[in-house]
mmCIF file of all heavy atoms in Angstrom:
data_model
loop_
_atom_site.group_PDB
_atom_site.id
_atom_site.type_symbol
_atom_site.label_atom_id
_atom_site.label_comp_id
_atom_site.label_asym_id
_atom_site.label_seq_id
_atom_site.Cartn_x
_atom_site.Cartn_y
_atom_site.Cartn_z
ATOM 1 N N GLY A 402 -48.492 -4.743 25.454
ATOM 2 C CA GLY A 402 -48.310 -4.983 26.874
ATOM 3 C C GLY A 402 -47.554 -6.239 27.236
ATOM 4 O O GLY A 402 -46.676 -6.218 28.102
ATOM 5 N N LYS A 403 -47.868 -7.375 26.598
ATOM 6 C CA LYS A 403 -47.205 -8.635 26.927
ATOM 7 C C LYS A 403 -45.700 -8.554 26.653
ATOM 8 O O LYS A 403 -44.884 -9.004 27.450
ATOM 9 C CB LYS A 403 -47.821 -9.783 26.140
ATOM 10 C CG LYS A 403 -49.213 -10.175 26.605
ATOM 11 C CD LYS A 403 -49.720 -11.392 25.837
ATOM 12 C CE LYS A 403 -51.105 -11.802 26.345
ATOM 13 N NZ LYS A 403 -51.623 -12.991 25.612
ATOM 14 N N LYS A 404 -45.375 -7.997 25.501
ATOM 15 C CA LYS A 404 -43.966 -7.836 25.141
ATOM 16 C C LYS A 404 -43.267 -6.923 26.146
ATOM 17 O O LYS A 404 -42.150 -7.214 26.598
ATOM 18 C CB LYS A 404 -43.882 -7.245 23.727
ATOM 19 C CG LYS A 404 -42.491 -6.841 23.264
ATOM 20 C CD LYS A 404 -41.625 -8.039 22.936
ATOM 21 C CE LYS A 404 -40.324 -7.592 22.275
ATOM 22 N NZ LYS A 404 -39.411 -8.713 22.022
ATOM 23 N N ARG A 405 -43.923 -5.829 26.485
ATOM 24 C CA ARG A 405 -43.331 -4.866 27.404
ATOM 25 C C ARG A 405 -43.124 -5.477 28.794
ATOM 26 O O ARG A 405 -42.080 -5.277 29.431
ATOM 27 C CB ARG A 405 -44.219 -3.626 27.487
ATOM 28 C CG ARG A 405 -44.191 -2.797 26.204
ATOM 29 C CD ARG A 405 -45.293 -1.757 26.146
ATOM 30 N NE ARG A 405 -45.146 -0.921 24.950
ATOM 31 C CZ ARG A 405 -46.047 -0.033 24.542
ATOM 32 N NH1 ARG A 405 -47.189 0.101 25.217
ATOM 33 N NH2 ARG A 405 -45.829 0.690 23.469
ATOM 34 N N PHE A 406 -44.111 -6.219 29.256
ATOM 35 C CA PHE A 406 -43.999 -6.876 30.561
ATOM 36 C C PHE A 406 -42.826 -7.850 30.573
ATOM 37 O O PHE A 406 -42.003 -7.850 31.506
ATOM 38 C CB PHE A 406 -45.309 -7.609 30.897
ATOM 39 C CG PHE A 406 -45.257 -8.378 32.179
ATOM 40 C CD1 PHE A 406 -45.408 -7.740 33.399
ATOM 41 C CD2 PHE A 406 -45.057 -9.764 32.160
ATOM 42 C CE1 PHE A 406 -45.354 -8.463 34.590
ATOM 43 C CE2 PHE A 406 -45.003 -10.489 33.341
ATOM 44 C CZ PHE A 406 -45.154 -9.839 34.559
ATOM 45 N N ALA A 407 -42.727 -8.670 29.522
ATOM 46 C CA ALA A 407 -41.652 -9.676 29.454
ATOM 47 C C ALA A 407 -40.279 -9.015 29.408
ATOM 48 O O ALA A 407 -39.333 -9.469 30.065
ATOM 49 C CB ALA A 407 -41.865 -10.560 28.223
ATOM 50 N N GLU A 408 -40.152 -7.952 28.629
ATOM 51 C CA GLU A 408 -38.857 -7.275 28.505
ATOM 52 C C GLU A 408 -38.445 -6.619 29.818
ATOM 53 O O GLU A 408 -37.270 -6.640 30.201
ATOM 54 C CB GLU A 408 -38.909 -6.231 27.390
ATOM 55 C CG GLU A 408 -39.071 -6.797 25.988
ATOM 56 C CD GLU A 408 -37.820 -7.532 25.514
ATOM 57 O OE1 GLU A 408 -36.755 -7.381 26.159
ATOM 58 O OE2 GLU A 408 -37.904 -8.268 24.521
ATOM 59 N N LEU A 409 -39.396 -6.027 30.502
ATOM 60 C CA LEU A 409 -39.084 -5.405 31.790
ATOM 61 C C LEU A 409 -38.661 -6.455 32.812
ATOM 62 O O LEU A 409 -37.708 -6.236 33.592
ATOM 63 C CB LEU A 409 -40.293 -4.628 32.312
ATOM 64 C CG LEU A 409 -40.640 -3.327 31.566
ATOM 65 C CD1 LEU A 409 -41.941 -2.746 32.110
ATOM 66 C CD2 LEU A 409 -39.514 -2.304 31.671
ATOM 67 N N ARG A 410 -39.350 -7.577 32.838
ATOM 68 C CA ARG A 410 -38.989 -8.657 33.772
ATOM 69 C C ARG A 410 -37.584 -9.176 33.476
ATOM 70 O O ARG A 410 -36.823 -9.470 34.398
ATOM 71 C CB ARG A 410 -40.011 -9.793 33.673
ATOM 72 C CG ARG A 410 -41.378 -9.440 34.176
ATOM 73 C CD ARG A 410 -41.405 -9.301 35.698
ATOM 74 N NE ARG A 410 -41.268 -10.616 36.355
ATOM 75 C CZ ARG A 410 -40.591 -10.825 37.483
ATOM 76 N NH1 ARG A 410 -39.963 -9.811 38.069
ATOM 77 N NH2 ARG A 410 -40.522 -12.031 38.017
ATOM 78 N N LYS A 411 -37.231 -9.276 32.171
ATOM 79 C CA LYS A 411 -35.890 -9.736 31.786
ATOM 80 C C LYS A 411 -34.804 -8.806 32.318
ATOM 81 O O LYS A 411 -33.669 -9.216 32.531
ATOM 82 C CB LYS A 411 -35.770 -9.814 30.252
ATOM 83 C CG LYS A 411 -36.115 -11.173 29.682
ATOM 84 C CD LYS A 411 -35.590 -11.345 28.266
ATOM 85 C CE LYS A 411 -36.343 -10.471 27.292
ATOM 86 N NZ LYS A 411 -35.923 -10.751 25.882
ATOM 87 N N ARG A 412 -35.164 -7.564 32.499
ATOM 88 C CA ARG A 412 -34.184 -6.560 32.934
ATOM 89 C C ARG A 412 -34.249 -6.301 34.437
ATOM 90 O O ARG A 412 -33.780 -5.260 34.914
ATOM 91 C CB ARG A 412 -34.388 -5.269 32.139
ATOM 92 C CG ARG A 412 -33.902 -5.424 30.704
ATOM 93 C CD ARG A 412 -34.456 -4.372 29.768
ATOM 94 N NE ARG A 412 -33.874 -4.524 28.439
ATOM 95 C CZ ARG A 412 -34.250 -5.422 27.557
ATOM 96 N NH1 ARG A 412 -35.211 -6.282 27.855
ATOM 97 N NH2 ARG A 412 -33.665 -5.498 26.380
ATOM 98 N N GLY A 413 -34.858 -7.227 35.172
ATOM 99 C CA GLY A 413 -34.807 -7.191 36.627
ATOM 100 C C GLY A 413 -35.863 -6.361 37.300
ATOM 101 O O GLY A 413 -35.762 -6.077 38.511
#
Side-chain angles (χ1 to χ4, degrees):
K403 288 184 178 180
K404 172 73 171 176
R405 290 167 175 172
F406 177 80
E408 293 290 347
L409 289 174
R410 292 289 289 143
K411 268 197 290 186
R412 287 162 176 79

